[in-house]
Amino acid sequence: MKIAVLGTGEVGRRLATKLVSLGHEVAMGSRTADNADAAKWAEEHGGAHGTFADAAGSAELVVNATGGLVSLAVLEAAGAANLRGKVLIDVSNALDFSEGFPPKVGLPDGRSVAEHLQSAFPEARVVKTLNTMTNTVMVEPGRVPGHHNVFLSGDDADAKAVVAELLASFGWASDRIVDLGDLSSARATEQLLPLWLRLYGLLGTGDFNFGVAGG
């Protein structure tokens, strides 16, 4: 597929690199066409780079790998026309570091970032996933031994099927992919972040994940 990864941070670069390794045609989007991190990534991995609108416009699928507090502005820059009808994978979390670590988590109205994006871009097909783990585990689930899970939230069943197939290509077995239901369920996964952050501080590593036992 032609995939746009919006965001040049560690998460965006990790996902973009994995997608290129799987044979996808990847464009990394940033605020400016000459972003140094995006240009370096493209040179090293054979991808393309440009503005958010450049990347999204040529893509079949879009990944939002930006910080949750700025994601809405990023997608506005990408342009509604460039998102229309496309699967939009949202891996973001609303983390507010203004008062230090650990950050405050969440948006003031209690809705998820994913719901805000879907409301702002109703013709996009938003799916929330991968936001409950560190970026290395996202693309290499075998880093964590034993049974653990990745979650899906979204209103469009076909879009979730596309994302589940992509997750499988990352190494996520079908019995580890848990469909939580409609997009309102993304509130639950975004609110796992305070626990994840506390565990990260306690364990000193991001090589852990949440797993559902029983049921």
Side-chain angles (χ1 to χ4, degrees):
M1 286 189 290
K2 292 183 177 180
I3 299 177
V5 175
L6 308 184
T8 62
E10 189 174 342
V11 175
R13 296 196 306 272
R14 183 82 62 181
L15 289 170
T17 300
K18 180 67 173 183
L19 290 165
V20 167
S21 77
L22 293 170
H24 299 288
E25 187 177 330
V26 180
M28 181 173 286
S30 55
R31 283 185 172 81
T32 61
D34 59 351
N35 180 278
D37 289 334
K40 181 180 179 182
W41 174 85
E43 181 180 358
E44 291 176 349
H45 298 282
H49 71 97
T51 65
F52 294 129
D54 292 336
S58 61
E60 300 167 85
L61 180 148
V62 179
V63 179
N64 173 43
T66 63
L69 296 180
V70 300
S71 291
L72 184 57
V74 165
L75 292 178
E76 287 172 346
N82 292 327
L83 302 174
R84 185 174 298 125
K86 297 177 182 179
V87 176
L88 172 59
I89 300 176
D90 177 34
V91 304
S92 71
N93 289 296
L95 304 179
D96 180 357
F97 288 93
S98 62
E99 297 177 11
F101 189 92
K104 293 183 287 186
V105 180
L107 297 173
D109 68 354
R111 290 194 300 160
S112 64
V113 176
E115 289 174 284
H116 277 266
L117 300 182
Q118 186 66 86
S119 178
F121 303 95
E123 294 183 279
R125 304 156 70 197
V126 179
V127 178
K128 189 81 178 192
T129 193
L130 291 173
N131 65 305
T132 56
M133 65 197 74
T134 194
N135 63 82
T136 49
V137 177
M138 291 179 185
V139 300
E140 192 181 343
R143 292 177 69 93
V144 177
H147 179 81
H148 54 100
N149 296 101
V150 61
F151 304 103
L152 288 174
S153 300
D155 296 333
D156 187 312
D158 291 338
K160 285 192 286 188
V162 170
V163 176
E165 185 175 346
L166 200 61
L167 292 173
S169 73
F170 286 2
W172 291 96
S174 59
D175 65 342
R176 295 189 178 191
I177 302 172
V178 178
D179 186 342
L180 294 175
D182 67 33
L183 203 56
S184 67
S185 65
R187 301 176 193 180
T189 59
E190 291 186 18
Q191 287 302 321
L192 272 178
L193 263 292
L195 176 58
W196 189 93
L197 289 162
R198 291 291 179 176
L199 288 169
Y200 176 77
L202 179 67
L203 300 172
T205 177
D207 283 344
F208 65 91
N209 195 19
F210 299 105
V212 179

